[in-house]
Amino acid sequence: MPGRTSLLRRLFASFALFFIVAGEPIGLLAAQDDSTTVSGRFRSRGTADDGGDELFEGVSVVVTDASGAEVATAVSNADGEWVAVLPGAGDYVVTLDESTLPEGVAVREGTDPATPITANVGRDNPVIIPLGERVASDSGSIKMVQLFVDGLKLGLIIGMTAIGLSLIFGTTGLVNFAHGEMVTFGAMVAFLFNVTGIFGFKLTLILAAIVSTLLCGVAGGLFNQLIWKRLRDRGSSLISMLVVSIGLSILFRYVLLYFFGGRGRPYRNYQIQKVIDFGPFSLPPKDVVIVVVSLTILVTVGLLLQKTRIGKAMRAVSDNRDLAESSGIDVEGVVRYVWIAGGALAGLGGVLFGLTEDIGWEMGFRLLLLMFAGVTLGGLGTAYGALFGSLIVGVLIQMSTLVVPSDMKNVGALLALVVILLVRPQGLLGKSERVG
Amino acid sequence: MDWGSILENTLRGFVGEQAIYFALAAIGLNIHFGYTGLLNFGQAVFMAAGAYGLALTVVYAEQSFWLGIFVGLFVFPVIMALILGVPTLRLRADYLAIVTIAAAEIVRLFLRSPKWDSVTGSSDGLGQYADTFYEFSPFEPRTRYGFGPLNFLGNQLWVVIIGWIVVAIVLVIVATLVRSPWGRVLKAIREDEDAARSLGKNAYFYKMQALILGGVIGAAGGLMRAIGTQSAQPDNFITDVTFLAWVALILGGAARVFGPVIGAMILWGVLSFTDTFLRQAVDQDIIPTSIMEGTQVGQVRFMLIGFSLALLAAFRPQGIFGNRDEMALDDR
Amino acid sequence: MTADASADMTDPLADVAWEPGVAKPDPILVADNITRQFGGLKAVDVDHLEIQRGVITALIGPNGAGKTTFFNLMSNFDSPDTGTQTFNGKDLTNTPAHKVANLGMVRTFQLTKALSKMTVMDNMKLGAVGQKGESFWRALLPFTWRSQEKGIETRAAALLERFKMAHMTDEFAGTLSGGQRKLLEMARALMVEPELVMLDEPMAGVNPALTQSLLEHVTQLKDEGMTVLFVEHDMDMVQEISDWVVVMAEGRIIAEGPPATIGENQAVVDAYLGAHHDAPLEWEDETDGDDVTSAAPADGSSEESS
Ligand SMILES: Nc1ncnc2c1ncn2[C@@H]1O[C@H](COP(=O)(O)OP(=O)(O)OP(=O)(O)O)[C@@H](O)[C@H]1O
Ligand SMILES: [Mg+2]
C-alpha cells in the first residue's frame, strides 16, 4: 500500500495555509557508459493560478560523493526538472540550495535538504526532496496559535464523525469499525456529484455535500435495519457484532477502492485558494468554511440532544438502556435515529475531510483511528465526551509537531490517550462501571 | 481454464508458507482471545516484532542469525506486549482493541519513517539476513520437489517443513498449557474477570502472561515469514494482516487447540483458489476487463475476506466445526 | 447444629450494646470512616463497623442502601473515597482484590458469576488456592501439579456432594439454574477455605426448594469456624440464621443488634417505611410478639433443618 503513508503524511500536513509542494522524480534515459544520472523535479501540486502545478525554475542542487567532494551541480529548468550526471555508481548526497527556492517554499519540515542516494549504473536514479511551506520565522507563540487553530479544525472534523460512533456504542454497545467507511462513502458520493457528474450534471460542492449527507443518513438507517437490528434480534453478542463490523469495514473499503481506484483526487474548484490572514493565524477560505460549518452543525447537534425529545431519549438510552426501556422509551426507535444521524454526520464529516486532502479509499479508515482515540479519551458512549475528546486529539496531533517529526504526530496523540486512560480509565467524561 | 494449476495453487495455499505464518499468528490470537478473552486487533505488531527482531539484529547490529531468532522470538515481542499491556489490561476489553489496532499502525509508520532509514530501511525494509537458515537445508535451492500436483522449490520446502514442525511444537505447548490449572485461570478470566479475582487470581498478571505468550507465538509467525521471504518490510504488517489472522481463528473456531491451524489452512486454500481462478478468468477474458482488471483481483480477494469474516461472525461464531456449548465468539 | 448452638451458651455478642458502630469483643473485619460517592450520591458513609469473628452477621437495608457497594469496598473491588478497613488486624487499603481473597476473605456477587463455558468441576477447582500448576512454568510440566490436582478434585467432589450438586459435576456451568448457580458460587467460594465469607443475597431468586439447603449451608459454615457476613432482604431468613444484624440505609449504618430486637428500632422502621410508603414492614407482626422470636433464633433453624 504505497499510497498510505504519503496520504497519511499529507493528511497531517494538509492543514490551513499549506499548499502541498513535492519534489518528484522524473524518468530519464540513463547514460550509456559508466556514468549515471540523478534527477528530480520541483513542483507544487495544484497551486498555480490556473489550478495546475506550479513549477520551480532555477533551483540549484549540488551532488557530493562519499568523501564530501562536489561531483556535480544542476539547476532546474522551466518544467522544474533537473538532471545531474555522475561519474559512476556509488553513494552520493544530493543537497538542495534552499536559497534558490521561491519565496515561501522550503524543504518540507522534518526532512533534510541533504538527501543520501545510492546511484546505480544503467538507469536514472530519481531523488525525491519533499518540499513544503517555508515555516515563517514567526515567533513561537504565533506558530503555536496557528497549530492550535489547525488542530481545532481537525478536531472538529474528527468530532463530527465520532459523535455517531459514540452514540452507536452508547445505545447498542457496538464498537463499529465500519464507521470509517461511512466517512469515505460520504466523501466519495460528494465527489461523484461534484466531479464525475451524474448524467452530465455536476453539482457545486455545497449541493453535493447536502446530497451526500442525506444519502449517508439513509445508508446509516438502512444498515441498522438490514444488518444490525437483525443481529440484535438474533441475540448476537457484542464481540461477534464487533467482528462483523470489522468484516464489513474490509468489504466496504475494498468495494470503494474497486470503484474509485487507488489514486486520491480532490474536489473541483477547491484545490487552490489564497489564504485569509487573521492576525496570529491564517486560513484559506475553505478551511474557514470547514470550521464554520462544523461548528454550526455541532452546536445544532448539541442543542438537539439537549432540547428535543428524541435528543433527550438518545442520551437517556446511551446512559442506561435498560432504565430507558423500562421508563417507556422506544429504544429501537431511538437507535434508528442514532444510526441515521450518525451516518449523516459521518458523511458530512467525510466531505469536509475530503476538502482538507484528496479523497481516497482509505481516508475513513485512517480517520477511524483518530475517532477511536477521541471517543476513548472522552469516555465511550457519551456524545459530548466524543466531541471533547476529538478536539483534544486534533489539537494534540497538530501541536505535537512542535516537538516530533510530522510523520510521527499521531504517536503523541496515542501516548496522551494512554496516559489519560491510566489516570481515568473511564475516559474524561465517562462514568465508572459498577461491579457485583 | 487450467484446472491443473488452479488445483496446484489451492493445494499449495492449503499447506504452504502462508498457511504456516497465519496459523502461528492465529494460534497466538487464540491464546489472547480464545482462552483469555483479550481483544487484540494488533497481532500484526507482534509479527513485525518477530520479523524486525531478526532483521535488525542481523542486518543493523550485525550479530548472528541465532541471536536474531532469540531477539525476534523473545525480546521484541515481550517488550511490545509490556508496552501494550501495562496501560490497557486493567481497562475494559474494548480499550485493548482500540489501543492495539492503533499501536500496530503506529509501529508500522515508525518503521516506514525515512527518519530512521539507516536503521530500519524505511519502506524498503531489510533483507538477506537468513542465509544461515538455508545453509542447513538438505534440499537443492533451485530444484523442484514434489509429489503429485503439489511441489515446492528446495528452499521453499525447507521453510515449509521447518514451519510445520514449529507449528506442531507450539501446538503441543499450547495444548499442555490450556489443560493445566494455568489455562483454567485464563478461561476463568475470559468468562468473568471479577469472579477470578474474587477467588484470589491476579487477573492482571495472567492477562499479561497471556498477552506475552500469544505475542511470542504471533512473533514466531512473523519470524517464519521473515525467514521465508528473506525480507522484512513495514507493509507486510498492515492492519489487514491482523484481520486475516482473525478470519483464520474464527473460521477454525476459537478456544480449540487445532482451530486456528485448520482455519489458516482453509483460509489460504480458499484464497489461493479464488486468486488463481479469478486471474485466469480475467486473463482469458471470461470476465471482461470492463468488469475486472488483473490488478483488481487482489481487491476482490479482500472483499471476500471481509464478507466471510462478517458472515462467520454473524452466523457461525463458534467456527465452521465448532460446538456451541464450548467457547463461541458469541458469548463474549 | 442445635447441640453446637446451645452448647455455645456464652454468646460472644451478649454484652455488646445495640447501637450502630459498637465495638465487638473479637472483630475480624473493621471498617473505619469509609465513604464512597457516585456523582452527587453518597452511596456509602460508614463511620465505624466491626464484624465479630465466628458468628453470622446479616447486613440488611432497603434497595439502594449501599450494601453491595459496601461489599465492593471491603473486598477492594472498588476503592473508597476515604477510610480504611482492616482484616485480621491487617490494613487492606492498598491490597489488590485478589490478595484480599488470598488473605482469607472471599465474597460472592449479587448477580452470580458462574463461569458458563467451564464445567462445574472446573469452576470448583478454580477456587482452590495454592495450586502450583497455576504458575506458567510449572503448568508446562504436568507431573509437578498432577497429585495436587487430585487432592483438589477430591475436596471439590466432597463439597459438591454436600451441596447436592454432584450429579452436575461435568456439566457446563452455563446450563445451571439460577439457584444452582448460587449454590455453585457459594461452594466455589468455600474452595478458597476462607476465614470470612461475604455472601451478597445468597438466597435471592432461589427456588424455595433449594432455599432450605442454602440456609443449612450458611449455618454449617459457622459451625466450621468461619465467619459469615451476608446481605439478605427476606427477614424470615435473617431471623432464622443470623446472630447479629447490621442495618444500612442511605449509605449509613443506622442500627445494630440481635435479629429479634432489630425490628423494634425506630430508625429501622423509619428507613424501611421511608423506602416503601405503602407496604407495612414484613416483620411488624413479629416485633409485636417480640418475646417469642427473641427466645431462640437458633431453635428456629434447628427445627427446620432436622
Ligand atoms: N458504579 C456506580 N455508579 C453510580 N452509582 C452507583 C454505582 N454503584 C452503585 N451506585 C448507586 O449507589 C447506591 C447503592 O447501591 P448498592 O448496589 O450498593 O445498593 P444495595 O444496598 O446493594 O441495593 P440492593 O438491595 O437493591 O442490592 C444506589 O443508589 C446505586 O444506584
Ligand atoms: Mg445489592
Side-chain angles (χ1 to χ4, degrees), chain A residues 4-5 8 169 234 237 239-240 246-247 254 258 376 380 407 425 433 435, chain B residues 41 91-92 95 105 108-109 112-113 194 240 291 296 299 306 314 329-330 332:
Chain A
R4 199 190 263 180
T5 327
L8 200 86
F169 176 83
R234 289 182 78 229
S237 78
I239 300 281
S240 51
I246 288 181
Y254 283 92
Y258 192 94
T376 316
L380 288 172
D407 53 350
E433 268 178 293
V435 239
Chain B
F41 284 110
L91 309 178
R92 263 180 18 198
Y95 287 110
E105 200 54 14
R108 194 177 65 85
L109 289 178
R112 279 193 68 119
S113 172
D194 286 336
D240 291 334
I291 296 183
Q296 289 178 316
Q299 301 170 11
L329 187 63
D330 227 29
R332 313 255 39 259

mmCIF file of all heavy atoms in Angstrom, chain A residues 4-5 8 169 234 237 239-240 246-247 254 258 376 380 407 425 433 435, chain B residues 41 91-92 95 105 108-109 112-113 194 240 291 296 299 306 314 329-330 332:
data_model
loop_
_atom_site.group_PDB
_atom_site.id
_atom_site.type_symbol
_atom_site.label_atom_id
_atom_site.label_comp_id
_atom_site.label_asym_id
_atom_site.label_seq_id
_atom_site.Cartn_x
_atom_site.Cartn_y
_atom_site.Cartn_z
ATOM 1 N N ARG A 4 -0.463 4.854 1.191
ATOM 2 C CA ARG A 4 -0.970 5.167 2.509
ATOM 3 C C ARG A 4 -0.117 6.185 3.271
ATOM 4 O O ARG A 4 -0.611 7.137 3.813
ATOM 5 C CB ARG A 4 -1.084 3.897 3.325
ATOM 6 C CG ARG A 4 -2.015 4.110 4.500
ATOM 7 C CD ARG A 4 -1.941 2.961 5.441
ATOM 8 N NE ARG A 4 -3.019 2.017 5.195
ATOM 9 C CZ ARG A 4 -3.147 0.918 5.914
ATOM 10 N NH1 ARG A 4 -2.318 0.650 6.872
ATOM 11 N NH2 ARG A 4 -4.124 0.089 5.663
ATOM 12 N N THR A 5 1.171 5.946 3.265
ATOM 13 C CA THR A 5 1.996 6.851 4.070
ATOM 14 C C THR A 5 1.978 8.250 3.503
ATOM 15 O O THR A 5 1.847 9.218 4.231
ATOM 16 C CB THR A 5 3.452 6.393 4.097
ATOM 17 O OG1 THR A 5 3.460 5.014 4.036
ATOM 18 C CG2 THR A 5 4.134 6.909 5.307
ATOM 19 N N LEU A 8 -1.121 9.706 4.374
ATOM 20 C CA LEU A 8 -1.218 9.974 5.799
ATOM 21 C C LEU A 8 -0.407 11.206 6.154
ATOM 22 O O LEU A 8 -0.841 12.075 6.887
ATOM 23 C CB LEU A 8 -0.686 8.787 6.577
ATOM 24 C CG LEU A 8 -1.206 8.805 8.003
ATOM 25 C CD1 LEU A 8 -2.547 8.124 8.046
ATOM 26 C CD2 LEU A 8 -0.267 8.161 8.944
ATOM 27 N N PHE A 169 -22.268 3.309 19.947
ATOM 28 C CA PHE A 169 -21.733 2.490 21.044
ATOM 29 C C PHE A 169 -22.614 2.622 22.280
ATOM 30 O O PHE A 169 -22.963 1.629 22.919
ATOM 31 C CB PHE A 169 -20.300 2.897 21.371
ATOM 32 C CG PHE A 169 -19.747 2.146 22.548
ATOM 33 C CD1 PHE A 169 -19.205 0.889 22.372
ATOM 34 C CD2 PHE A 169 -19.829 2.665 23.827
ATOM 35 C CE1 PHE A 169 -18.738 0.172 23.451
ATOM 36 C CE2 PHE A 169 -19.355 1.952 24.913
ATOM 37 C CZ PHE A 169 -18.806 0.704 24.724
ATOM 38 N N ARG A 234 -31.358 -11.399 16.803
ATOM 39 C CA ARG A 234 -30.900 -12.785 16.923
ATOM 40 C C ARG A 234 -30.171 -13.023 18.230
ATOM 41 O O ARG A 234 -29.795 -14.139 18.550
ATOM 42 C CB ARG A 234 -29.926 -13.130 15.794
ATOM 43 C CG ARG A 234 -30.543 -13.242 14.445
ATOM 44 C CD ARG A 234 -29.469 -13.624 13.436
ATOM 45 N NE ARG A 234 -29.178 -15.045 13.533
ATOM 46 C CZ ARG A 234 -27.958 -15.556 13.630
ATOM 47 N NH1 ARG A 234 -26.928 -14.759 13.671
ATOM 48 N NH2 ARG A 234 -27.776 -16.847 13.690
ATOM 49 N N SER A 237 -23.804 -11.630 20.189
ATOM 50 C CA SER A 237 -23.053 -10.962 21.253
ATOM 51 C C SER A 237 -22.365 -9.729 20.701
ATOM 52 O O SER A 237 -22.206 -9.562 19.495
ATOM 53 C CB SER A 237 -22.010 -11.903 21.827
ATOM 54 O OG SER A 237 -20.911 -11.963 20.953
ATOM 55 N N ILE A 239 -19.275 -8.927 20.954
ATOM 56 C CA ILE A 239 -17.993 -9.210 20.310
ATOM 57 C C ILE A 239 -18.223 -9.712 18.898
ATOM 58 O O ILE A 239 -17.533 -9.321 17.969
ATOM 59 C CB ILE A 239 -17.201 -10.257 21.115
ATOM 60 C CG1 ILE A 239 -16.932 -9.758 22.529
ATOM 61 C CG2 ILE A 239 -15.914 -10.595 20.409
ATOM 62 C CD1 ILE A 239 -15.821 -8.789 22.661
ATOM 63 N N SER A 240 -19.221 -10.587 18.708
ATOM 64 C CA SER A 240 -19.385 -11.058 17.339
ATOM 65 C C SER A 240 -19.873 -9.919 16.447
ATOM 66 O O SER A 240 -19.499 -9.845 15.287
ATOM 67 C CB SER A 240 -20.254 -12.307 17.234
ATOM 68 O OG SER A 240 -21.448 -12.147 17.900
ATOM 69 N N ILE A 246 -15.956 -5.359 11.618
ATOM 70 C CA ILE A 246 -14.616 -5.377 11.000
ATOM 71 C C ILE A 246 -14.702 -5.987 9.606
ATOM 72 O O ILE A 246 -14.145 -5.464 8.643
ATOM 73 C CB ILE A 246 -13.633 -6.176 11.873
ATOM 74 C CG1 ILE A 246 -13.312 -5.382 13.139
ATOM 75 C CG2 ILE A 246 -12.348 -6.461 11.118
ATOM 76 C CD1 ILE A 246 -12.333 -6.065 14.045
ATOM 77 N N GLY A 247 -15.443 -7.086 9.505
ATOM 78 C CA GLY A 247 -15.612 -7.707 8.192
ATOM 79 C C GLY A 247 -16.230 -6.737 7.207
ATOM 80 O O GLY A 247 -15.749 -6.574 6.083
ATOM 81 N N TYR A 254 -12.762 -2.177 0.311
ATOM 82 C CA TYR A 254 -12.259 -2.648 -0.968
ATOM 83 C C TYR A 254 -13.285 -2.481 -2.079
ATOM 84 O O TYR A 254 -12.924 -2.337 -3.243
ATOM 85 C CB TYR A 254 -11.738 -4.084 -0.840
ATOM 86 C CG TYR A 254 -10.385 -4.084 -0.164
ATOM 87 C CD1 TYR A 254 -10.276 -4.213 1.216
ATOM 88 C CD2 TYR A 254 -9.228 -3.854 -0.887
ATOM 89 C CE1 TYR A 254 -9.049 -4.154 1.847
ATOM 90 C CE2 TYR A 254 -7.992 -3.787 -0.270
ATOM 91 C CZ TYR A 254 -7.909 -3.942 1.098
ATOM 92 O OH TYR A 254 -6.690 -3.867 1.707
ATOM 93 N N TYR A 258 -12.419 -0.517 -5.358
ATOM 94 C CA TYR A 258 -12.732 -1.132 -6.653
ATOM 95 C C TYR A 258 -13.351 -0.101 -7.589
ATOM 96 O O TYR A 258 -13.011 0.001 -8.753
ATOM 97 C CB TYR A 258 -13.683 -2.292 -6.408
ATOM 98 C CG TYR A 258 -13.888 -3.212 -7.578
ATOM 99 C CD1 TYR A 258 -13.120 -4.357 -7.717
ATOM 100 C CD2 TYR A 258 -14.854 -2.946 -8.538
ATOM 101 C CE1 TYR A 258 -13.299 -5.216 -8.774
ATOM 102 C CE2 TYR A 258 -15.040 -3.805 -9.614
ATOM 103 C CZ TYR A 258 -14.252 -4.935 -9.728
ATOM 104 O OH TYR A 258 -14.435 -5.775 -10.781
ATOM 105 N N THR A 376 -12.509 7.387 22.958
ATOM 106 C CA THR A 376 -11.985 6.747 24.156
ATOM 107 C C THR A 376 -11.556 7.785 25.183
ATOM 108 O O THR A 376 -11.816 7.652 26.376
ATOM 109 C CB THR A 376 -10.771 5.872 23.804
ATOM 110 O OG1 THR A 376 -11.077 5.136 22.636
ATOM 111 C CG2 THR A 376 -10.445 4.935 24.924
ATOM 112 N N LEU A 380 -16.222 6.335 26.417
ATOM 113 C CA LEU A 380 -17.032 5.632 25.436
ATOM 114 C C LEU A 380 -18.515 5.873 25.690
ATOM 115 O O LEU A 380 -18.971 5.764 26.808
ATOM 116 C CB LEU A 380 -16.747 4.128 25.495
ATOM 117 C CG LEU A 380 -15.396 3.653 24.943
ATOM 118 C CD1 LEU A 380 -15.198 2.189 25.255
ATOM 119 C CD2 LEU A 380 -15.334 3.895 23.457
ATOM 120 N N ASP A 407 5.638 13.196 10.492
ATOM 121 C CA ASP A 407 5.036 11.902 10.159
ATOM 122 C C ASP A 407 4.844 11.026 11.399
ATOM 123 O O ASP A 407 4.380 9.908 11.316
ATOM 124 C CB ASP A 407 5.853 11.160 9.086
ATOM 125 C CG ASP A 407 7.313 11.034 9.464
ATOM 126 O OD1 ASP A 407 7.710 11.676 10.456
ATOM 127 O OD2 ASP A 407 8.051 10.318 8.783
ATOM 128 N N PRO A 425 -9.559 5.625 33.840
ATOM 129 C CA PRO A 425 -9.872 4.506 32.950
ATOM 130 C C PRO A 425 -11.213 4.670 32.241
ATOM 131 O O PRO A 425 -11.435 4.081 31.208
ATOM 132 C CB PRO A 425 -9.903 3.303 33.887
ATOM 133 C CG PRO A 425 -9.228 3.737 35.116
ATOM 134 C CD PRO A 425 -9.363 5.209 35.210
ATOM 135 N N GLU A 433 -17.959 1.947 35.758
ATOM 136 C CA GLU A 433 -18.958 0.899 35.767
ATOM 137 C C GLU A 433 -19.062 0.280 37.152
ATOM 138 O O GLU A 433 -18.112 0.343 37.915
ATOM 139 C CB GLU A 433 -18.545 -0.205 34.813
ATOM 140 C CG GLU A 433 -19.087 -0.050 33.434
ATOM 141 C CD GLU A 433 -18.566 -1.181 32.585
ATOM 142 O OE1 GLU A 433 -17.356 -1.213 32.354
ATOM 143 O OE2 GLU A 433 -19.360 -2.028 32.198
ATOM 144 N N VAL A 435 -19.397 -2.933 39.765
ATOM 145 C CA VAL A 435 -19.068 -4.361 39.860
ATOM 146 C C VAL A 435 -20.089 -5.009 40.776
ATOM 147 O O VAL A 435 -20.571 -4.376 41.698
ATOM 148 C CB VAL A 435 -17.687 -4.587 40.526
ATOM 149 C CG1 VAL A 435 -16.788 -5.336 39.599
ATOM 150 C CG2 VAL A 435 -17.084 -3.311 41.002
ATOM 151 N N PHE B 41 -6.375 -6.521 18.386
ATOM 152 C CA PHE B 41 -6.511 -6.240 16.961
ATOM 153 C C PHE B 41 -5.218 -5.696 16.393
ATOM 154 O O PHE B 41 -5.214 -5.023 15.377
ATOM 155 C CB PHE B 41 -7.683 -5.297 16.705
ATOM 156 C CG PHE B 41 -8.993 -5.991 16.809
ATOM 157 C CD1 PHE B 41 -9.864 -5.733 17.855
ATOM 158 C CD2 PHE B 41 -9.344 -6.949 15.883
ATOM 159 C CE1 PHE B 41 -11.052 -6.413 17.964
ATOM 160 C CE2 PHE B 41 -10.529 -7.635 15.990
ATOM 161 C CZ PHE B 41 -11.390 -7.365 17.033
ATOM 162 N N LEU B 91 -8.059 -2.133 31.933
ATOM 163 C CA LEU B 91 -9.248 -1.453 31.424
ATOM 164 C C LEU B 91 -10.205 -2.444 30.776
ATOM 165 O O LEU B 91 -9.911 -3.611 30.622
ATOM 166 C CB LEU B 91 -8.842 -0.401 30.396
ATOM 167 C CG LEU B 91 -7.758 0.568 30.839
ATOM 168 C CD1 LEU B 91 -7.430 1.514 29.718
ATOM 169 C CD2 LEU B 91 -8.209 1.321 32.060
ATOM 170 N N ARG B 92 -11.345 -1.912 30.352
ATOM 171 C CA ARG B 92 -12.330 -2.741 29.685
ATOM 172 C C ARG B 92 -11.774 -3.291 28.382
ATOM 173 O O ARG B 92 -10.902 -2.702 27.760
ATOM 174 C CB ARG B 92 -13.569 -1.902 29.377
ATOM 175 C CG ARG B 92 -14.624 -2.079 30.401
ATOM 176 C CD ARG B 92 -15.835 -1.272 30.120
ATOM 177 N NE ARG B 92 -15.969 -0.803 28.762
ATOM 178 C CZ ARG B 92 -16.786 0.189 28.454
ATOM 179 N NH1 ARG B 92 -17.493 0.768 29.383
ATOM 180 N NH2 ARG B 92 -16.893 0.568 27.216
ATOM 181 N N TYR B 95 -10.999 -1.249 25.178
ATOM 182 C CA TYR B 95 -9.857 -0.338 25.140
ATOM 183 C C TYR B 95 -8.633 -1.040 24.567
ATOM 184 O O TYR B 95 -7.879 -0.455 23.795
ATOM 185 C CB TYR B 95 -9.537 0.182 26.536
ATOM 186 C CG TYR B 95 -10.528 1.187 27.045
ATOM 187 C CD1 TYR B 95 -11.385 0.883 28.077
ATOM 188 C CD2 TYR B 95 -10.588 2.450 26.473
ATOM 189 C CE1 TYR B 95 -12.295 1.805 28.545
ATOM 190 C CE2 TYR B 95 -11.492 3.384 26.935
ATOM 191 C CZ TYR B 95 -12.341 3.058 27.976
ATOM 192 O OH TYR B 95 -13.234 3.973 28.433
ATOM 193 N N GLU B 105 -0.556 0.236 13.922
ATOM 194 C CA GLU B 105 -0.435 1.203 12.839
ATOM 195 C C GLU B 105 0.728 2.153 13.113
ATOM 196 O O GLU B 105 1.480 2.516 12.206
ATOM 197 C CB GLU B 105 -1.764 1.948 12.727
ATOM 198 C CG GLU B 105 -2.023 2.637 11.413
ATOM 199 C CD GLU B 105 -1.899 1.735 10.190
ATOM 200 O OE1 GLU B 105 -1.869 0.499 10.343
ATOM 201 O OE2 GLU B 105 -1.787 2.291 9.088
ATOM 202 N N ARG B 108 4.057 0.551 12.507
ATOM 203 C CA ARG B 108 4.308 0.433 11.072
ATOM 204 C C ARG B 108 4.766 1.776 10.499
ATOM 205 O O ARG B 108 5.710 1.840 9.713
ATOM 206 C CB ARG B 108 3.041 -0.034 10.356
ATOM 207 C CG ARG B 108 3.283 -0.514 8.942
ATOM 208 C CD ARG B 108 1.997 -1.020 8.339
ATOM 209 N NE ARG B 108 1.027 0.052 8.199
ATOM 210 C CZ ARG B 108 0.985 0.868 7.166
ATOM 211 N NH1 ARG B 108 1.852 0.736 6.186
ATOM 212 N NH2 ARG B 108 0.067 1.820 7.098
ATOM 213 N N LEU B 109 4.101 2.847 10.911
ATOM 214 C CA LEU B 109 4.502 4.171 10.433
ATOM 215 C C LEU B 109 5.921 4.505 10.880
ATOM 216 O O LEU B 109 6.706 5.077 10.137
ATOM 217 C CB LEU B 109 3.537 5.238 10.957
ATOM 218 C CG LEU B 109 2.158 5.205 10.335
ATOM 219 C CD1 LEU B 109 1.278 6.276 10.955
ATOM 220 C CD2 LEU B 109 2.268 5.433 8.845
ATOM 221 N N ARG B 112 8.300 2.810 8.757
ATOM 222 C CA ARG B 112 8.333 3.385 7.413
ATOM 223 C C ARG B 112 9.027 4.732 7.382
ATOM 224 O O ARG B 112 9.395 5.204 6.313
ATOM 225 C CB ARG B 112 6.900 3.617 6.922
ATOM 226 C CG ARG B 112 6.210 2.410 6.386
ATOM 227 C CD ARG B 112 4.973 2.857 5.653
ATOM 228 N NE ARG B 112 5.370 3.578 4.460
ATOM 229 C CZ ARG B 112 5.058 3.206 3.227
ATOM 230 N NH1 ARG B 112 4.343 2.148 3.037
ATOM 231 N NH2 ARG B 112 5.453 3.905 2.199
ATOM 232 N N SER B 113 9.126 5.371 8.524
ATOM 233 C CA SER B 113 9.571 6.753 8.540
ATOM 234 C C SER B 113 10.982 6.877 7.979
ATOM 235 O O SER B 113 11.893 6.162 8.405
ATOM 236 C CB SER B 113 9.526 7.287 9.969
ATOM 237 O OG SER B 113 10.121 8.556 10.000
ATOM 238 N N ASP B 194 -13.937 -10.629 37.214
ATOM 239 C CA ASP B 194 -14.197 -10.322 38.619
ATOM 240 C C ASP B 194 -14.310 -11.593 39.445
ATOM 241 O O ASP B 194 -13.828 -11.655 40.579
ATOM 242 C CB ASP B 194 -15.467 -9.485 38.760
ATOM 243 C CG ASP B 194 -15.230 -8.055 38.321
ATOM 244 O OD1 ASP B 194 -14.064 -7.618 38.364
ATOM 245 O OD2 ASP B 194 -16.190 -7.388 37.920
ATOM 246 N N ASP B 240 -4.679 -5.168 7.893
ATOM 247 C CA ASP B 240 -5.409 -6.259 7.247
ATOM 248 C C ASP B 240 -4.789 -7.621 7.563
ATOM 249 O O ASP B 240 -5.474 -8.642 7.538
ATOM 250 C CB ASP B 240 -5.440 -6.037 5.736
ATOM 251 C CG ASP B 240 -6.310 -4.844 5.367
ATOM 252 O OD1 ASP B 240 -7.221 -4.537 6.152
ATOM 253 O OD2 ASP B 240 -6.075 -4.230 4.321
ATOM 254 N N ILE B 291 -15.263 -5.190 -16.391
ATOM 255 C CA ILE B 291 -15.728 -5.521 -15.036
ATOM 256 C C ILE B 291 -14.554 -5.630 -14.080
ATOM 257 O O ILE B 291 -14.573 -5.098 -12.984
ATOM 258 C CB ILE B 291 -16.526 -6.852 -15.049
ATOM 259 C CG1 ILE B 291 -17.782 -6.673 -15.882
ATOM 260 C CG2 ILE B 291 -16.878 -7.271 -13.634
ATOM 261 C CD1 ILE B 291 -18.676 -7.869 -15.912
ATOM 262 N N GLN B 296 -7.221 -5.772 -10.065
ATOM 263 C CA GLN B 296 -8.344 -5.724 -9.114
ATOM 264 C C GLN B 296 -8.620 -7.075 -8.476
ATOM 265 O O GLN B 296 -9.436 -7.170 -7.562
ATOM 266 C CB GLN B 296 -9.592 -5.187 -9.826
ATOM 267 C CG GLN B 296 -9.450 -3.703 -10.134
ATOM 268 C CD GLN B 296 -10.647 -3.163 -10.873
ATOM 269 O OE1 GLN B 296 -11.143 -3.793 -11.799
ATOM 270 N NE2 GLN B 296 -11.122 -1.999 -10.471
ATOM 271 N N GLN B 299 -8.060 -6.920 -4.908
ATOM 272 C CA GLN B 299 -9.107 -6.204 -4.183
ATOM 273 C C GLN B 299 -10.307 -7.112 -3.925
ATOM 274 O O GLN B 299 -10.892 -7.092 -2.844
ATOM 275 C CB GLN B 299 -9.544 -4.971 -4.984
ATOM 276 C CG GLN B 299 -8.383 -4.019 -5.227
ATOM 277 C CD GLN B 299 -8.720 -2.935 -6.217
ATOM 278 O OE1 GLN B 299 -9.885 -2.752 -6.593
ATOM 279 N NE2 GLN B 299 -7.715 -2.194 -6.648
ATOM 280 N N GLY B 306 -13.406 -9.884 3.872
ATOM 281 C CA GLY B 306 -14.312 -9.092 4.703
ATOM 282 C C GLY B 306 -15.684 -9.728 4.795
ATOM 283 O O GLY B 306 -16.260 -9.866 5.872
ATOM 284 N N ALA B 314 -21.449 -13.500 12.163
ATOM 285 C CA ALA B 314 -22.884 -13.372 12.359
ATOM 286 C C ALA B 314 -23.564 -14.724 12.505
ATOM 287 O O ALA B 314 -24.439 -14.892 13.340
ATOM 288 C CB ALA B 314 -23.498 -12.596 11.191
ATOM 289 N N LEU B 329 -17.607 -17.224 19.821
ATOM 290 C CA LEU B 329 -17.433 -15.788 19.777
ATOM 291 C C LEU B 329 -18.616 -15.103 20.448
ATOM 292 O O LEU B 329 -18.509 -14.045 21.041
ATOM 293 C CB LEU B 329 -17.378 -15.409 18.302
ATOM 294 C CG LEU B 329 -17.041 -14.012 17.911
ATOM 295 C CD1 LEU B 329 -15.647 -13.711 18.384
ATOM 296 C CD2 LEU B 329 -17.123 -13.909 16.410
ATOM 297 N N ASP B 330 -19.736 -15.811 20.343
ATOM 298 C CA ASP B 330 -20.998 -15.227 20.738
ATOM 299 C C ASP B 330 -21.152 -14.949 22.222
ATOM 300 O O ASP B 330 -22.013 -14.192 22.622
ATOM 301 C CB ASP B 330 -22.085 -16.223 20.330
ATOM 302 C CG ASP B 330 -23.189 -15.509 19.632
ATOM 303 O OD1 ASP B 330 -22.881 -14.485 19.017
ATOM 304 O OD2 ASP B 330 -24.334 -15.959 19.737
ATOM 305 N N ARG B 332 -19.159 -13.609 24.259
ATOM 306 C CA ARG B 332 -18.334 -12.619 24.893
ATOM 307 C C ARG B 332 -18.938 -11.230 24.771
ATOM 308 O O ARG B 332 -19.721 -10.966 23.949
ATOM 309 C CB ARG B 332 -16.943 -12.643 24.296
ATOM 310 C CG ARG B 332 -16.391 -14.043 24.192
ATOM 311 C CD ARG B 332 -15.363 -14.384 25.198
ATOM 312 N NE ARG B 332 -15.635 -13.849 26.516
ATOM 313 C CZ ARG B 332 -15.050 -12.776 26.985
ATOM 314 N NH1 ARG B 332 -14.210 -12.116 26.273
ATOM 315 N NH2 ARG B 332 -15.329 -12.382 28.178
#
